[in-house]
Amino acid sequence: MGSVQTIDTEYANIHLVASAYLLEEEGRGVVVETNTTHAIPKILKAMELHGVKPPNLDYVIVTHVHLDHAGGAWALLEACPNAILLAHPKTAKHLIDPSLLIKSATSVYGKENFDSLYGEIKPIPKEKIRVMEDGEWLEWKGHSFQFLYTKGHANHHFCIYDRKTNGIYTGDSFGISYPQLENGKRFIFPTTTPTDFDFAEAIRSLDRILDTGAEVAYLTHFGPIRDLKKNAEDLKEGLTLCQEAISQLEAVTKEDRLSFMESKVETVIQTLASKHSITLTDSDWRLLRLDVNLNAQGLVYAFEKMQPKG
């Protein structure tokens, strides 16, 4: 019957914060998400362990173009000469010519952090990419994959529903759930990183994911989770709190917006953790520091986009 394997890509040299997935059927494979260039040796090792040789990788799928999801796609395709990349049309555009992607990410992270986190990024030849349309199905080795456009986190985001496993690969559209924060309990919070956060679209995307009837969501951050309905309720509560925080920025000076929003994001995360009787430690907050900052940046950016020009 084959299998779905979760691969810890050790993003930023940290365990259990970003995953890729390997589907194996009769020695052939599909990889969903690639993380960064640094993660490709780990993905290739997992393929070897589960009997998928590089020439037998048929597809690489990325949910969106953010580099902790797609930064290593070019390197995995180079290592697996027969694989085709399946992507959203806007994602495909930026992977064929990654210059703007690199420029944008460098502006967010800084040059030194960018190099450390992501390494080299090369263009992918156009003929190695297949664009998947909204609602399109793809058959592979008894699996039926449906590609569903899910805005809210990013305008170039899709999820992949697999009818055979009744699972859905959600990228960042179904939030973040780090195992090491949970103490055996599930706890989830939304991700609102720059530059496309849209509250209404994020809610619609959650509903679209639930409407598939999937029993398991394969999160990129991190690993498979179940009880999608309950987790979606928590995510909607978190997104509502984020939207309320955006509305409060009217009374905050431009210089103080980021620090104000960081405190609001911390409150969102703490609120959702407390619902499950989880007390976050100082060590937990150190791990969450980057998420707090990036989520806050995304919410401030969303507010500033709404302001009149001039």
Side-chain angles (χ1 to χ4, degrees):
M1 176 162 175
S3 60
V4 180
Q5 302 297 330
T6 303
I7 304 167
D8 183 357
T9 58
E10 299 179 34
Y11 178 53
N13 293 316
I14 304 172
H15 289 289
L16 306 178
V17 299
S19 52
Y21 294 97
L22 171 66
L23 290 81
E24 180 273 332
E25 292 284 355
E26 301 172 358
R28 305 203 68 85
V30 172
V31 166
V32 182
E33 307 284 57
T34 68
N35 198 248
T36 72
T37 303
H38 304 311
I40 302 309
K42 299 175 183 66
I43 293 173
L44 292 171
K45 182 68 175 179
M47 288 169 53
E48 179 184 7
L49 183 63
H50 295 284
V52 180
K53 296 179 180 179
N56 293 339
L57 187 69
D58 293 321
Y59 295 109
V60 176
I61 310 174
V62 292
T63 58
H64 61 301
V65 83
H66 291 170
L67 296 178
D68 56 331
H69 298 255
W74 70 271
L76 186 56
L77 290 170
E78 281 197 356
C80 301
N82 298 320
I84 295 295
L85 179 72
L86 307 179
H88 188 287
K90 293 179 180 178
T91 294
K93 172 185 173 182
H94 288 293
L95 292 178
I96 292 167
D97 179 5
S99 56
L100 289 177
L101 181 65
I102 294 168
K103 181 179 178 181
S104 175
T106 302
S107 71
V108 171
Y109 295 100
K111 181 67 166 65
E112 185 175 346
N113 283 338
F114 175 87
D115 291 343
S116 174
L117 284 170
Y118 304 115
E120 186 177 17
I121 298 175
K122 293 182 181 179
I124 296 174
K126 185 177 181 179
E127 61 271 17
K128 294 288 290 181
I129 299 179
R130 174 176 168 181
V131 166
M132 305 306 294
E133 300 298 336
D134 187 24
E136 185 173 356
W137 289 89
L138 175 75
E139 301 296 322
W140 177 80
K141 298 292 180 182
H143 293 258
S144 297
F145 300 119
Q146 187 179 31
F147 296 79
L148 304 170
Y149 288 11
T150 47
K151 293 182 179 181
H153 173 79
N155 289 333
H156 55 276
H157 196 298
F158 62 38
C159 296
I160 309 98
Y161 173 68
D162 180 7
R163 180 182 285 161
K164 180 173 182 177
T165 61
N166 200 23
I168 186 164
Y169 299 86
T170 57
D172 283 339
S173 290
F174 208 77
I176 289 174
S177 185
Y178 294 136
Q180 64 265 54
L181 300 180
E182 295 162 1
N183 297 317
K185 301 178 182 178
R186 269 299 174 187
F187 147 58
I188 200 164
F189 62 94
T191 172
T192 62
T193 52
T195 57
D196 295 328
F197 174 69
D198 184 308
F199 170 75
E201 291 290 353
I203 296 294
R204 275 193 282 271
S205 292
L206 290 175
D207 288 338
R208 194 170 199 198
I209 290 166
L210 291 178
D211 286 346
T212 65
E215 294 178 350
V216 56
Y218 294 98
L219 307 183
T220 303
H221 308 290
F222 173 95
I225 63 167
R226 295 183 179 271
D227 199 357
L228 271 61
K229 184 177 180 181
K230 182 66 180 75
N231 281 299
E233 290 173 1
D234 287 354
L235 288 169
K236 288 180 179 180
E237 179 179 348
L239 287 166
T240 300
L241 292 172
C242 288
Q243 187 69 1
E244 291 172 355
I246 289 176
S247 69
Q248 295 169 18
L249 281 175
E250 288 282 1
V252 180
T253 64
K254 185 173 184 179
E255 293 74 20
D256 292 334
R257 285 173 187 167
L258 183 59
S259 60
F260 172 85
M261 194 57 78
E262 285 181 333
S263 70
K264 291 295 182 179
V265 170
E266 288 176 355
T267 298
V268 170
I269 293 173
Q270 185 60 68
T271 297
L272 295 173
S274 296
K275 287 183 67 174
H276 300 276
S277 302
I278 295 171
T279 301
L280 297 173
T281 66
D282 289 343
S283 176
D284 292 335
W285 282 113
R286 283 193 293 273
L287 178 64
L288 289 165
R289 185 67 235 156
L290 181 59
D291 286 307
V292 168
N293 177 261
L294 291 176
N295 281 8
Q297 284 189 50
L299 296 172
V300 171
Y301 192 92
F303 169 79
E304 292 177 346
K305 277 200 302 186
M306 295 186 298
Q307 302 312 297
K309 304 298 181 186

PDB file of all heavy atoms in Angstrom, residues 86-116:
ATOM      1  N   LEU A  86       5.381  20.390  -9.096  1.00  0.00           N
ATOM      2  CA  LEU A  86       3.989  20.805  -9.191  1.00  0.00           C
ATOM      3  C   LEU A  86       3.811  22.030  -8.304  1.00  0.00           C
ATOM      4  O   LEU A  86       4.132  21.998  -7.107  1.00  0.00           O
ATOM      5  CB  LEU A  86       3.065  19.682  -8.733  1.00  0.00           C
ATOM      6  CG  LEU A  86       3.264  18.321  -9.419  1.00  0.00           C
ATOM      7  CD1 LEU A  86       2.286  17.300  -8.854  1.00  0.00           C
ATOM      8  CD2 LEU A  86       3.091  18.444 -10.936  1.00  0.00           C
ATOM      9  N   ALA A  87       3.291  23.113  -8.907  1.00  0.00           N
ATOM     10  CA  ALA A  87       3.259  24.379  -8.179  1.00  0.00           C
ATOM     11  C   ALA A  87       2.084  25.239  -8.594  1.00  0.00           C
ATOM     12  O   ALA A  87       1.529  25.093  -9.692  1.00  0.00           O
ATOM     13  CB  ALA A  87       4.576  25.146  -8.407  1.00  0.00           C
ATOM     14  N   HIS A  88       1.703  26.150  -7.708  1.00  0.00           N
ATOM     15  CA  HIS A  88       0.769  27.231  -8.011  1.00  0.00           C
ATOM     16  C   HIS A  88       1.387  28.104  -9.101  1.00  0.00           C
ATOM     17  O   HIS A  88       2.611  28.271  -9.140  1.00  0.00           O
ATOM     18  CB  HIS A  88       0.532  28.037  -6.728  1.00  0.00           C
ATOM     19  CG  HIS A  88      -0.531  29.072  -6.802  1.00  0.00           C
ATOM     20  ND1 HIS A  88      -0.372  30.251  -7.506  1.00  0.00           N
ATOM     21  CD2 HIS A  88      -1.770  29.134  -6.243  1.00  0.00           C
ATOM     22  CE1 HIS A  88      -1.470  30.988  -7.366  1.00  0.00           C
ATOM     23  NE2 HIS A  88      -2.333  30.338  -6.615  1.00  0.00           N
ATOM     24  N   PRO A  89       0.593  28.695  -9.995  1.00  0.00           N
ATOM     25  CA  PRO A  89       1.195  29.499 -11.078  1.00  0.00           C
ATOM     26  C   PRO A  89       2.072  30.643 -10.577  1.00  0.00           C
ATOM     27  O   PRO A  89       3.126  30.932 -11.183  1.00  0.00           O
ATOM     28  CB  PRO A  89      -0.024  30.015 -11.855  1.00  0.00           C
ATOM     29  CG  PRO A  89      -1.218  29.754 -10.989  1.00  0.00           C
ATOM     30  CD  PRO A  89      -0.861  28.587 -10.147  1.00  0.00           C
ATOM     31  N   LYS A  90       1.679  31.303  -9.495  1.00  0.00           N
ATOM     32  CA  LYS A  90       2.505  32.400  -8.978  1.00  0.00           C
ATOM     33  C   LYS A  90       3.779  31.878  -8.325  1.00  0.00           C
ATOM     34  O   LYS A  90       4.818  32.546  -8.365  1.00  0.00           O
ATOM     35  CB  LYS A  90       1.692  33.240  -7.991  1.00  0.00           C
ATOM     36  CG  LYS A  90       0.541  33.996  -8.632  1.00  0.00           C
ATOM     37  CD  LYS A  90      -0.240  34.797  -7.597  1.00  0.00           C
ATOM     38  CE  LYS A  90      -1.395  35.547  -8.248  1.00  0.00           C
ATOM     39  NZ  LYS A  90      -2.206  36.298  -7.257  1.00  0.00           N
ATOM     40  N   THR A  91       3.705  30.697  -7.727  1.00  0.00           N
ATOM     41  CA  THR A  91       4.903  30.062  -7.179  1.00  0.00           C
ATOM     42  C   THR A  91       5.858  29.689  -8.306  1.00  0.00           C
ATOM     43  O   THR A  91       7.073  29.939  -8.220  1.00  0.00           O
ATOM     44  CB  THR A  91       4.518  28.812  -6.376  1.00  0.00           C
ATOM     45  OG1 THR A  91       3.765  29.204  -5.225  1.00  0.00           O
ATOM     46  CG2 THR A  91       5.746  28.030  -5.929  1.00  0.00           C
ATOM     47  N   ALA A  92       5.316  29.094  -9.373  1.00  0.00           N
ATOM     48  CA  ALA A  92       6.150  28.683 -10.511  1.00  0.00           C
ATOM     49  C   ALA A  92       6.930  29.866 -11.067  1.00  0.00           C
ATOM     50  O   ALA A  92       8.130  29.765 -11.357  1.00  0.00           O
ATOM     51  CB  ALA A  92       5.263  28.072 -11.596  1.00  0.00           C
ATOM     52  N   LYS A  93       6.269  30.999 -11.200  1.00  0.00           N
ATOM     53  CA  LYS A  93       6.914  32.206 -11.746  1.00  0.00           C
ATOM     54  C   LYS A  93       8.155  32.576 -10.947  1.00  0.00           C
ATOM     55  O   LYS A  93       9.206  32.893 -11.515  1.00  0.00           O
ATOM     56  CB  LYS A  93       5.896  33.351 -11.729  1.00  0.00           C
ATOM     57  CG  LYS A  93       6.474  34.701 -12.079  1.00  0.00           C
ATOM     58  CD  LYS A  93       5.414  35.795 -11.917  1.00  0.00           C
ATOM     59  CE  LYS A  93       6.031  37.178 -12.112  1.00  0.00           C
ATOM     60  NZ  LYS A  93       5.026  38.256 -11.898  1.00  0.00           N
ATOM     61  N   HIS A  94       8.051  32.516  -9.610  1.00  0.00           N
ATOM     62  CA  HIS A  94       9.171  32.946  -8.771  1.00  0.00           C
ATOM     63  C   HIS A  94      10.250  31.876  -8.628  1.00  0.00           C
ATOM     64  O   HIS A  94      11.387  32.200  -8.254  1.00  0.00           O
ATOM     65  CB  HIS A  94       8.656  33.361  -7.405  1.00  0.00           C
ATOM     66  CG  HIS A  94       7.914  34.667  -7.430  1.00  0.00           C
ATOM     67  ND1 HIS A  94       8.538  35.856  -7.707  1.00  0.00           N
ATOM     68  CD2 HIS A  94       6.603  34.953  -7.246  1.00  0.00           C
ATOM     69  CE1 HIS A  94       7.652  36.837  -7.667  1.00  0.00           C
ATOM     70  NE2 HIS A  94       6.466  36.313  -7.403  1.00  0.00           N
ATOM     71  N   LEU A  95       9.927  30.626  -8.902  1.00  0.00           N
ATOM     72  CA  LEU A  95      10.962  29.592  -8.868  1.00  0.00           C
ATOM     73  C   LEU A  95      11.718  29.528 -10.193  1.00  0.00           C
ATOM     74  O   LEU A  95      12.889  29.149 -10.220  1.00  0.00           O
ATOM     75  CB  LEU A  95      10.333  28.241  -8.537  1.00  0.00           C
ATOM     76  CG  LEU A  95       9.782  28.133  -7.117  1.00  0.00           C
ATOM     77  CD1 LEU A  95       9.134  26.774  -6.893  1.00  0.00           C
ATOM     78  CD2 LEU A  95      10.877  28.369  -6.076  1.00  0.00           C
ATOM     79  N   ILE A  96      11.062  29.924 -11.280  1.00  0.00           N
ATOM     80  CA  ILE A  96      11.755  30.028 -12.567  1.00  0.00           C
ATOM     81  C   ILE A  96      12.741  31.193 -12.533  1.00  0.00           C
ATOM     82  O   ILE A  96      13.862  31.099 -13.039  1.00  0.00           O
ATOM     83  CB  ILE A  96      10.726  30.186 -13.707  1.00  0.00           C
ATOM     84  CG1 ILE A  96       9.927  28.890 -13.878  1.00  0.00           C
ATOM     85  CG2 ILE A  96      11.422  30.563 -15.021  1.00  0.00           C
ATOM     86  CD1 ILE A  96       8.703  29.034 -14.755  1.00  0.00           C
ATOM     87  N   ASP A  97      12.330  32.294 -11.925  1.00  0.00           N
ATOM     88  CA  ASP A  97      13.205  33.460 -11.740  1.00  0.00           C
ATOM     89  C   ASP A  97      13.124  33.886 -10.277  1.00  0.00           C
ATOM     90  O   ASP A  97      12.226  34.639  -9.888  1.00  0.00           O
ATOM     91  CB  ASP A  97      12.783  34.618 -12.643  1.00  0.00           C
ATOM     92  CG  ASP A  97      13.652  35.853 -12.452  1.00  0.00           C
ATOM     93  OD1 ASP A  97      14.644  35.781 -11.690  1.00  0.00           O
ATOM     94  OD2 ASP A  97      13.335  36.908 -13.062  1.00  0.00           O
ATOM     95  N   PRO A  98      14.038  33.396  -9.437  1.00  0.00           N
ATOM     96  CA  PRO A  98      13.940  33.652  -7.997  1.00  0.00           C
ATOM     97  C   PRO A  98      14.538  34.984  -7.540  1.00  0.00           C
ATOM     98  O   PRO A  98      14.631  35.227  -6.336  1.00  0.00           O
ATOM     99  CB  PRO A  98      14.725  32.482  -7.401  1.00  0.00           C
ATOM    100  CG  PRO A  98      15.756  32.168  -8.427  1.00  0.00           C
ATOM    101  CD  PRO A  98      15.108  32.443  -9.767  1.00  0.00           C
ATOM    102  N   SER A  99      14.914  35.857  -8.447  1.00  0.00           N
ATOM    103  CA  SER A  99      15.631  37.084  -8.063  1.00  0.00           C
ATOM    104  C   SER A  99      14.801  37.963  -7.122  1.00  0.00           C
ATOM    105  O   SER A  99      15.322  38.454  -6.107  1.00  0.00           O
ATOM    106  CB  SER A  99      16.044  37.873  -9.307  1.00  0.00           C
ATOM    107  OG  SER A  99      14.916  38.170 -10.115  1.00  0.00           O
ATOM    108  N   LEU A 100      13.519  38.161  -7.423  1.00  0.00           N
ATOM    109  CA  LEU A 100      12.683  38.987  -6.544  1.00  0.00           C
ATOM    110  C   LEU A 100      12.430  38.291  -5.215  1.00  0.00           C
ATOM    111  O   LEU A 100      12.364  38.940  -4.166  1.00  0.00           O
ATOM    112  CB  LEU A 100      11.363  39.313  -7.237  1.00  0.00           C
ATOM    113  CG  LEU A 100      11.428  40.303  -8.403  1.00  0.00           C
ATOM    114  CD1 LEU A 100      10.052  40.485  -9.036  1.00  0.00           C
ATOM    115  CD2 LEU A 100      11.961  41.657  -7.929  1.00  0.00           C
ATOM    116  N   LEU A 101      12.299  36.988  -5.257  1.00  0.00           N
ATOM    117  CA  LEU A 101      12.105  36.195  -4.046  1.00  0.00           C
ATOM    118  C   LEU A 101      13.300  36.361  -3.105  1.00  0.00           C
ATOM    119  O   LEU A 101      13.144  36.587  -1.902  1.00  0.00           O
ATOM    120  CB  LEU A 101      11.922  34.733  -4.438  1.00  0.00           C
ATOM    121  CG  LEU A 101      11.670  33.714  -3.350  1.00  0.00           C
ATOM    122  CD1 LEU A 101      10.342  33.974  -2.677  1.00  0.00           C
ATOM    123  CD2 LEU A 101      11.706  32.310  -3.946  1.00  0.00           C
ATOM    124  N   ILE A 102      14.494  36.260  -3.655  1.00  0.00           N
ATOM    125  CA  ILE A 102      15.716  36.403  -2.865  1.00  0.00           C
ATOM    126  C   ILE A 102      15.813  37.812  -2.291  1.00  0.00           C
ATOM    127  O   ILE A 102      16.124  38.005  -1.110  1.00  0.00           O
ATOM    128  CB  ILE A 102      16.951  36.066  -3.732  1.00  0.00           C
ATOM    129  CG1 ILE A 102      16.932  34.580  -4.118  1.00  0.00           C
ATOM    130  CG2 ILE A 102      18.234  36.419  -2.995  1.00  0.00           C
ATOM    131  CD1 ILE A 102      17.943  34.217  -5.191  1.00  0.00           C
ATOM    132  N   LYS A 103      15.485  38.802  -3.121  1.00  0.00           N
ATOM    133  CA  LYS A 103      15.546  40.196  -2.670  1.00  0.00           C
ATOM    134  C   LYS A 103      14.574  40.444  -1.527  1.00  0.00           C
ATOM    135  O   LYS A 103      14.921  41.075  -0.516  1.00  0.00           O
ATOM    136  CB  LYS A 103      15.229  41.130  -3.841  1.00  0.00           C
ATOM    137  CG  LYS A 103      15.293  42.606  -3.493  1.00  0.00           C
ATOM    138  CD  LYS A 103      14.993  43.472  -4.710  1.00  0.00           C
ATOM    139  CE  LYS A 103      15.016  44.951  -4.353  1.00  0.00           C
ATOM    140  NZ  LYS A 103      14.694  45.794  -5.537  1.00  0.00           N
ATOM    141  N   SER A 104      13.347  39.933  -1.660  1.00  0.00           N
ATOM    142  CA  SER A 104      12.331  40.127  -0.630  1.00  0.00           C
ATOM    143  C   SER A 104      12.719  39.447   0.674  1.00  0.00           C
ATOM    144  O   SER A 104      12.620  40.035   1.758  1.00  0.00           O
ATOM    145  CB  SER A 104      10.987  39.589  -1.134  1.00  0.00           C
ATOM    146  OG  SER A 104      10.007  39.648  -0.123  1.00  0.00           O
ATOM    147  N   ALA A 105      13.166  38.192   0.585  1.00  0.00           N
ATOM    148  CA  ALA A 105      13.538  37.455   1.793  1.00  0.00           C
ATOM    149  C   ALA A 105      14.747  38.081   2.475  1.00  0.00           C
ATOM    150  O   ALA A 105      14.824  38.131   3.710  1.00  0.00           O
ATOM    151  CB  ALA A 105      13.812  35.997   1.452  1.00  0.00           C
ATOM    152  N   THR A 106      15.688  38.592   1.682  1.00  0.00           N
ATOM    153  CA  THR A 106      16.864  39.243   2.253  1.00  0.00           C
ATOM    154  C   THR A 106      16.461  40.494   3.019  1.00  0.00           C
ATOM    155  O   THR A 106      17.026  40.804   4.081  1.00  0.00           O
ATOM    156  CB  THR A 106      17.874  39.590   1.146  1.00  0.00           C
ATOM    157  OG1 THR A 106      18.240  38.392   0.444  1.00  0.00           O
ATOM    158  CG2 THR A 106      19.129  40.214   1.734  1.00  0.00           C
ATOM    159  N   SER A 107      15.454  41.217   2.504  1.00  0.00           N
ATOM    160  CA  SER A 107      14.993  42.428   3.190  1.00  0.00           C
ATOM    161  C   SER A 107      14.331  42.093   4.524  1.00  0.00           C
ATOM    162  O   SER A 107      14.404  42.875   5.472  1.00  0.00           O
ATOM    163  CB  SER A 107      14.024  43.210   2.304  1.00  0.00           C
ATOM    164  OG  SER A 107      12.785  42.538   2.183  1.00  0.00           O
ATOM    165  N   VAL A 108      13.693  40.925   4.616  1.00  0.00           N
ATOM    166  CA  VAL A 108      13.033  40.511   5.858  1.00  0.00           C
ATOM    167  C   VAL A 108      14.048  39.989   6.863  1.00  0.00           C
ATOM    168  O   VAL A 108      14.019  40.354   8.049  1.00  0.00           O
ATOM    169  CB  VAL A 108      11.959  39.435   5.573  1.00  0.00           C
ATOM    170  CG1 VAL A 108      11.421  38.850   6.885  1.00  0.00           C
ATOM    171  CG2 VAL A 108      10.818  40.007   4.749  1.00  0.00           C
ATOM    172  N   TYR A 109      14.980  39.135   6.418  1.00  0.00           N
ATOM    173  CA  TYR A 109      15.875  38.432   7.335  1.00  0.00           C
ATOM    174  C   TYR A 109      17.247  39.082   7.473  1.00  0.00           C
ATOM    175  O   TYR A 109      17.944  38.835   8.461  1.00  0.00           O
ATOM    176  CB  TYR A 109      16.070  36.985   6.862  1.00  0.00           C
ATOM    177  CG  TYR A 109      14.816  36.158   6.914  1.00  0.00           C
ATOM    178  CD1 TYR A 109      14.055  35.927   5.779  1.00  0.00           C
ATOM    179  CD2 TYR A 109      14.372  35.605   8.110  1.00  0.00           C
ATOM    180  CE1 TYR A 109      12.895  35.165   5.815  1.00  0.00           C
ATOM    181  CE2 TYR A 109      13.209  34.848   8.166  1.00  0.00           C
ATOM    182  CZ  TYR A 109      12.484  34.629   7.013  1.00  0.00           C
ATOM    183  OH  TYR A 109      11.337  33.885   7.065  1.00  0.00           O
ATOM    184  N   GLY A 110      17.650  39.914   6.491  1.00  0.00           N
ATOM    185  CA  GLY A 110      19.017  40.422   6.453  1.00  0.00           C
ATOM    186  C   GLY A 110      19.915  39.464   5.702  1.00  0.00           C
ATOM    187  O   GLY A 110      19.667  38.258   5.687  1.00  0.00           O
ATOM    188  N   LYS A 111      20.974  39.983   5.078  1.00  0.00           N
ATOM    189  CA  LYS A 111      21.830  39.176   4.198  1.00  0.00           C
ATOM    190  C   LYS A 111      22.482  38.013   4.941  1.00  0.00           C
ATOM    191  O   LYS A 111      22.484  36.876   4.462  1.00  0.00           O
ATOM    192  CB  LYS A 111      22.913  40.066   3.582  1.00  0.00           C
ATOM    193  CG  LYS A 111      23.865  39.353   2.622  1.00  0.00           C
ATOM    194  CD  LYS A 111      23.142  38.885   1.361  1.00  0.00           C
ATOM    195  CE  LYS A 111      24.111  38.479   0.263  1.00  0.00           C
ATOM    196  NZ  LYS A 111      24.936  37.308   0.597  1.00  0.00           N
ATOM    197  N   GLU A 112      23.028  38.285   6.115  1.00  0.00           N
ATOM    198  CA  GLU A 112      23.752  37.233   6.845  1.00  0.00           C
ATOM    199  C   GLU A 112      22.797  36.105   7.253  1.00  0.00           C
ATOM    200  O   GLU A 112      23.097  34.927   7.065  1.00  0.00           O
ATOM    201  CB  GLU A 112      24.440  37.823   8.073  1.00  0.00           C
ATOM    202  CG  GLU A 112      25.310  36.815   8.820  1.00  0.00           C
ATOM    203  CD  GLU A 112      26.072  37.447   9.972  1.00  0.00           C
ATOM    204  OE1 GLU A 112      26.146  38.695  10.036  1.00  0.00           O
ATOM    205  OE2 GLU A 112      26.591  36.682  10.812  1.00  0.00           O
ATOM    206  N   ASN A 113      21.638  36.474   7.806  1.00  0.00           N
ATOM    207  CA  ASN A 113      20.665  35.452   8.209  1.00  0.00           C
ATOM    208  C   ASN A 113      20.113  34.706   7.007  1.00  0.00           C
ATOM    209  O   ASN A 113      19.876  33.496   7.067  1.00  0.00           O
ATOM    210  CB  ASN A 113      19.513  36.099   8.986  1.00  0.00           C
ATOM    211  CG  ASN A 113      19.893  36.424  10.411  1.00  0.00           C
ATOM    212  OD1 ASN A 113      20.819  35.834  10.958  1.00  0.00           O
ATOM    213  ND2 ASN A 113      19.193  37.372  11.006  1.00  0.00           N
ATOM    214  N   PHE A 114      19.906  35.426   5.903  1.00  0.00           N
ATOM    215  CA  PHE A 114      19.406  34.773   4.695  1.00  0.00           C
ATOM    216  C   PHE A 114      20.369  33.685   4.242  1.00  0.00           C
ATOM    217  O   PHE A 114      19.959  32.552   3.963  1.00  0.00           O
ATOM    218  CB  PHE A 114      19.209  35.801   3.572  1.00  0.00           C
ATOM    219  CG  PHE A 114      18.818  35.188   2.262  1.00  0.00           C
ATOM    220  CD1 PHE A 114      17.485  34.942   1.963  1.00  0.00           C
ATOM    221  CD2 PHE A 114      19.782  34.824   1.313  1.00  0.00           C
ATOM    222  CE1 PHE A 114      17.116  34.359   0.760  1.00  0.00           C
ATOM    223  CE2 PHE A 114      19.427  34.239   0.115  1.00  0.00           C
ATOM    224  CZ  PHE A 114      18.084  34.014  -0.157  1.00  0.00           C
ATOM    225  N   ASP A 115      21.647  34.013   4.162  1.00  0.00           N
ATOM    226  CA  ASP A 115      22.638  33.029   3.709  1.00  0.00           C
ATOM    227  C   ASP A 115      22.694  31.827   4.648  1.00  0.00           C
ATOM    228  O   ASP A 115      22.800  30.685   4.201  1.00  0.00           O
ATOM    229  CB  ASP A 115      24.015  33.683   3.613  1.00  0.00           C
ATOM    230  CG  ASP A 115      24.107  34.692   2.478  1.00  0.00           C
ATOM    231  OD1 ASP A 115      23.246  34.652   1.583  1.00  0.00           O
ATOM    232  OD2 ASP A 115      25.029  35.533   2.504  1.00  0.00           O
ATOM    233  N   SER A 116      22.612  32.095   5.946  1.00  0.00           N
ATOM    234  CA  SER A 116      22.686  31.015   6.924  1.00  0.00           C
ATOM    235  C   SER A 116      21.462  30.114   6.857  1.00  0.00           C
ATOM    236  O   SER A 116      21.574  28.882   6.921  1.00  0.00           O
ATOM    237  CB  SER A 116      22.817  31.611   8.330  1.00  0.00           C
ATOM    238  OG  SER A 116      22.751  30.598   9.312  1.00  0.00           O
TER     239      SER A 116
END
